[in-house]
Amino acid sequence: MAKFIQHLIDEIIDQYMYADDTKRPWIIGFSGGKDSTVMLQLVWEAISQIKELTGIVKRDVYVVCNDTMVENPVITEYVYRVLDKIEIAARDQGIPIYVIKTIPRLEDSFWVNLIGRGYPAPNNAFRWCTERLKIRPTSRFILEQVDEFGEAVILIGTRSAESAQRAKSMKKHAIKGKRLTKHPTQANTFMYAPIRNLSLEEVWYVINTMPSPWKANNSELFQIYSDASADDYECPTVVTNKEHKSCGQSRFGCWVCTVVKKDKSMSALIENGLTWLQPLLEFRNQLYDERNIKENRMPQRRNGTEAVNGMGPYTPKYRASILERVLIAQKEIQIDKPHVELITNQELVAIQTIWYRDLIFNYKVSEIYHKAYKTNINMEEQNKKQEKELELLKKSCEKNPEDFELIQELLMLQKNKALLNKKRGLKSDIENKIEEYLKKEE
């Protein structure tokens, strides 16, 4: 093992066991990319060495992976396979590492906002997606840990070498003489960047030479980056096998991202043989090109006020057009990848509900679905069920009608969690809602 790798492991051992004598948990934001993979490998090796030397592992480590539900499908497939390996290996090795998967709430999902509410595709001026899809889901988990332990430490894979801006930001929040830095927004939360001084070449060196403790094939990760590297931003890396070619520092994100002008990584993946991604790239490019066409936008904001330059949310007609194209793209890629789902049935139900609230009756999700798939999606039965539940609830609250709204909101919280198969955080959400209700009553 190279000396610089053991040096990093020794630092992590010191921070885990001695520099911080608390039991506050460590939270690792894991994307499955090169930096978070290297960081987790080093932490895992550090804990393994501690366990072997002392038999004591005093703090839990949570590997938190946030799925925006619009991630590049290639990355999603890879990451979920890796997470399964991590869970199994941690259990078999007796390592206190636990996998947590977070996803946006139904009302925060990309399609519910873009197609349902008509939010325009994100750009630098209106980047509504980051908060809803990435920050909120992970923040809720962090808050739960802080509530339980008083404090938490987030391990981040940020490196100073990535950019001057990153280096400046890391220095700004640093506490002199300490490895931990204060989190800029989360109270009682600290950040620790164990790979902050690694260069890109050193990151790839670790991946190519250090065996994965959860028995993943790191050459697969190298190959994904290699396939996604466009010629105009390739960089040389330290490789240990002559078969390895140069690998760029590609960045993976949401396949629908319109903040960047071009999705170079997806284009490169297609050029390197993953042609089934072509419908996604074409749709994403359409979203980008059509964003500022005035005919696609309503003159007022959702609150009824005049929009700047008459460019409010998308018109009902354009929202319906987007939905149809998403479903057609989904149908196309399911020929090769039948398990890939671009938009969930739960999101379709939520979109229809919002359209009704927006008094959009000319377009129906079920009809658009039928047009794309030539089969029916049964939403009428779902709507009838909801109406029946409301009638029963109103009848039950006849003596206390003021309770109707509270119970309805609590049920909605539970349904949203159930729809997304995610129960974590339900208890705190319910407690907060009841607290709000009691304050109103006072």
Side-chain angles (χ1 to χ4, degrees):
M1 188 179 294
K3 287 184 179 180
F4 82 92
I5 297 178
Q6 187 57 52
H7 175 74
L8 287 171
I9 293 170
D10 289 342
E11 180 193 297
I12 295 169
I13 290 173
D14 181 66
Q15 187 64 36
Y16 185 95
M17 287 293 291
Y18 309 111
D20 181 0
D21 59 3
T22 72
K23 291 186 178 180
R24 53 190 175 189
W26 279 8
I27 299 170
I28 295 178
F30 185 79
S31 67
K34 62 186 187 306
D35 294 328
S36 59
T37 296
V38 166
M39 183 170 62
L40 180 56
Q41 285 197 188
L42 295 172
V43 170
W44 194 303
E45 180 60 29
I47 295 175
S48 296
Q49 291 185 20
I50 292 170
K51 188 169 182 267
E52 185 177 346
L53 291 171
T54 69
I56 301 171
V57 281
K58 67 174 186 175
R59 110 178 49 237
D60 291 340
V61 177
Y62 294 97
V63 177
V64 181
C65 181
N66 180 58
D67 182 358
T68 63
M69 300 173 66
V70 282
E71 299 291 331
N72 184 312
V74 173
I75 304 304
T76 300
E77 288 183 12
Y78 170 77
V79 170
Y80 273 71
R81 287 200 308 272
V82 169
L83 291 175
D84 288 342
K85 291 179 182 292
I86 290 171
E87 285 187 300
I88 294 170
R91 184 175 64 247
D92 292 347
Q93 297 174 31
I95 302 291
I97 291 178
Y98 307 95
V99 171
I100 304 293
K101 300 169 187 173
T102 64
I103 52 178
R105 288 174 172 169
L106 183 60
E107 65 269 25
D108 285 338
S109 81
F110 184 81
W111 300 122
V112 167
N113 283 283
L114 187 93
I115 300 174
R117 296 187 175 95
Y119 284 12
N123 63 6
N124 281 320
F126 186 39
R127 198 169 180 168
W128 53 265
C129 52
T130 306
E131 173 72 21
R132 289 172 172 81
L133 305 185
K134 296 184 176 181
I135 297 175
R136 288 180 188 174
T138 306
S139 294
R140 281 193 289 271
F141 175 75
I142 294 171
L143 285 172
E144 289 173 17
Q145 298 307 306
V146 171
D147 286 344
E148 184 174 351
F149 296 96
E151 291 180 335
V153 178
I154 303 172
L155 277 69
I156 57 175
T158 307
R159 294 180 294 109
S160 300
E162 286 186 285
S163 69
Q165 184 62 36
R166 290 246 174 142
K168 184 178 178 181
S169 177
M170 293 175 75
K171 186 176 181 180
K172 176 182 175 183
H173 297 288
I175 303 171
K176 191 173 182 179
K178 302 285 185 180
R179 297 188 186 109
L180 302 185
T181 61
K182 290 182 179 179
H183 195 284
T185 58
Q186 297 270 16
N188 300 322
T189 306
F190 299 86
M191 297 186 298
Y192 174 34
I195 65 169
R196 60 196 175 279
N197 295 321
L198 285 187
S199 66
L200 179 65
E201 285 75 13
E202 288 170 330
V203 166
W204 281 116
Y205 182 87
V206 174
I207 289 174
N208 289 326
T209 60
M210 185 177 178
S212 167
W214 52 86
K215 308 302 181 187
N217 183 1
N218 280 351
S219 63
E220 183 181 359
L221 176 62
F222 190 96
Q223 188 62 47
I224 290 173
Y225 272 91
S226 181
D227 287 344
S229 294
D231 291 339
D232 61 344
Y233 67 156
E234 274 192 339
C235 64
T237 60
V238 175
V239 296
T240 57
N241 186 319
K242 291 182 180 179
E243 294 178 0
H244 285 152
K245 59 182 179 179
S246 292
C247 174
Q249 41 189 341
S250 316
R251 290 193 179 278
F252 297 101
C254 304
W255 70 268
V256 290
C257 183
T258 49
V259 175
V260 293
K261 187 174 182 179
K262 293 182 179 180
D263 190 333
K264 296 181 180 179
S265 62
M266 187 178 288
S267 297
L269 286 170
I270 293 169
E271 290 173 7
N272 281 292
L274 299 182
T275 54
W276 61 271
L277 291 170
Q278 186 65 40
L280 303 192
L281 181 62
E282 290 176 359
F283 174 82
R284 177 260 166 212
N285 290 342
Q286 289 169 4
L287 271 186
Y288 182 90
D289 293 338
E290 298 168 1
R291 186 188 189 280
N292 294 323
I293 297 176
K294 199 164 186 178
E295 289 74 14
N296 294 338
R297 308 282 284 272
M298 298 176 70
Q300 292 88 24
R301 296 188 179 97
R302 287 188 59 80
N303 62 10
T305 61
E306 290 297 316
V308 177
N309 298 322
M311 299 281 276
Y314 287 140
T315 63
K317 180 180 179 181
Y318 186 65
R319 295 185 218 177
S321 166
I322 295 175
L323 176 57
E324 182 178 350
R325 284 181 280 170
V326 170
L327 291 170
I328 290 172
Q330 178 173 270
K331 183 182 177 183
E332 284 185 41
I333 67 170
Q334 285 177 341
I335 295 172
D336 294 307
K337 300 286 181 178
H339 61 284
V340 174
E341 193 175 52
L342 303 183
I343 185 168
T344 66
N345 284 351
Q346 292 79 18
E347 288 174 299
L348 294 175
V349 172
I351 288 167
Q352 184 63 77
T353 301
I354 293 171
W355 284 3
Y356 281 148
R357 288 176 185 167
D358 286 356
L359 305 179
I360 299 173
F361 301 111
N362 293 337
Y363 303 97
K364 288 186 169 56
V365 171
S366 56
E367 293 176 357
I368 297 171
Y369 186 92
H370 181 270
K371 185 177 179 182
Y373 271 91
K374 311 304 179 188
T375 58
N376 294 322
I377 181 172
N378 191 351
M379 299 187 67
E380 274 67 24
E381 192 171 323
Q382 177 75 20
N383 292 335
K384 287 178 182 177
K385 184 180 178 183
Q386 289 178 349
E387 290 173 6
K388 189 173 181 180
E389 287 176 352
L390 284 176
E391 288 177 12
L392 290 171
L393 180 57
K394 284 181 180 177
K395 190 173 181 180
S396 301
C397 295
E398 283 177 347
K399 294 182 179 180
N400 299 288
E402 67 278 3
D403 292 342
F404 171 75
E405 185 177 343
L406 171 64
I407 297 173
Q408 190 178 9
E409 289 180 357
L410 295 177
L411 286 172
M412 187 58 69
L413 284 173
Q414 191 276 332
K415 285 178 182 177
N416 285 344
K417 292 286 183 179
L419 283 172
L420 293 176
N421 297 317
K422 187 68 180 172
K423 298 294 177 64
R424 180 171 292 279
L426 177 59
K427 179 174 178 288
S428 60
D429 287 346
I430 289 176
E431 288 174 348
N432 291 337
K433 189 62 66 176
I434 292 174
E435 189 174 336
E436 289 176 13
Y437 174 76
L438 292 175
K439 285 180 180 178
K440 289 180 183 177
E441 290 296 298
E442 292 174 359

